[in-house]
Amino acid sequence: MILSEVFHDIDPIPQNDGPYPVCAIDYPEAFVRAMDYLRALMKINEHSERALELTAVCLRYNPANYTTWWYRRQCLSVLSSNSLQQTSVNDADNDNSKTVDIDLNQKRGDIRGCVYYDPKRVQDDLKLASQLGGSNPKNYQIWYHRRSILEHAFSS
């Protein structure tokens, strides 16, 4: 993923440690750029496929970053909701349109309320979490993410 091409319409937001950082961390340049774009997407509240992919890039550099996992769950929820809404529109011609609309209202991927995750996205996300946790099976953020995803997947 060439970040400057994918995010040509976004101005990256660099990390601001202030004028006198206590302990500056020497991050790899690729990680710095990815996080700069992630901060920009979070600021404008974009929950898109490219935002989801960017969280995967950032997590490959730092799988213990809680904020990145949190934002990933937000993207998954919104994208799953969009898929559900698309299904509702496609099914509107069927006799089941009332059932679909009720289902949509019950499972809307609203990040402030009920959360819905598309089963295919859950499966893909659990694979990513397993890959990222391979070298450190005690990574709390990965386990929290897994639990959160599965908790919502089984409760919806």
Side-chain angles (χ1 to χ4, degrees):
M1 169 186 268
I2 301 173
L3 298 177
S4 59
E5 290 178 10
V6 174
F7 300 103
H8 63 89
D9 57 330
I10 301 292
D11 291 325
I13 299 175
Q15 181 171 317
N16 182 356
D17 291 331
Y20 306 106
V22 175
C23 182
I25 299 173
D26 188 21
Y27 296 110
E29 183 58 34
F31 175 65
V32 170
R33 292 296 290 169
M35 287 302 296
D36 291 352
Y37 281 112
L38 186 65
R39 276 189 285 283
L41 293 181
M42 291 174 74
K43 182 177 182 177
I44 62 172
N45 206 29
E46 179 179 319
H47 299 98
S48 61
E49 290 290 342
R50 70 180 184 171
L52 184 67
E53 183 58 33
L54 182 60
T55 62
V57 170
C58 293
L59 289 168
R60 284 186 181 93
Y61 284 105
N62 182 8
N65 187 319
Y66 175 82
T67 302
T68 305
W69 282 112
W70 171 83
Y71 190 64
R72 183 171 183 81
R73 284 190 297 278
Q74 305 308 301
C75 290
L76 285 168
S77 178
V78 171
L79 292 169
S80 294
S81 175
N82 291 346
S83 296
L84 189 60
Q85 288 173 357
Q86 186 63 34
T87 300
S88 177
V89 170
N90 291 340
D91 289 346
D93 295 332
N94 297 339
D95 292 336
N96 298 332
S97 62
K98 288 183 181 177
T99 305
V100 172
D101 290 338
I102 290 168
D103 190 50
L104 176 60
N105 289 331
Q106 290 174 348
K107 293 185 175 183
R108 185 171 309 281
D110 182 355
I111 60 179
R112 293 176 306 274
C114 180
V115 176
Y116 167 74
Y117 294 120
D118 178 89
K120 174 69 171 122
R121 289 187 184 278
V122 168
Q123 186 178 27
D124 293 345
D125 213 61
L126 292 174
K127 284 180 188 175
L128 174 69
S130 292
Q131 291 168 357
L132 294 174
S135 63
N136 182 8
K138 294 182 180 182
N139 183 320
Y140 174 78
Q141 304 311 334
I142 293 174
W143 282 107
Y144 183 84
H145 179 74
R146 284 178 178 150
R147 192 201 85 203
S148 181
I149 293 288
L150 290 172
E151 188 175 80
H152 288 294
F154 286 110
S155 69
S156 53

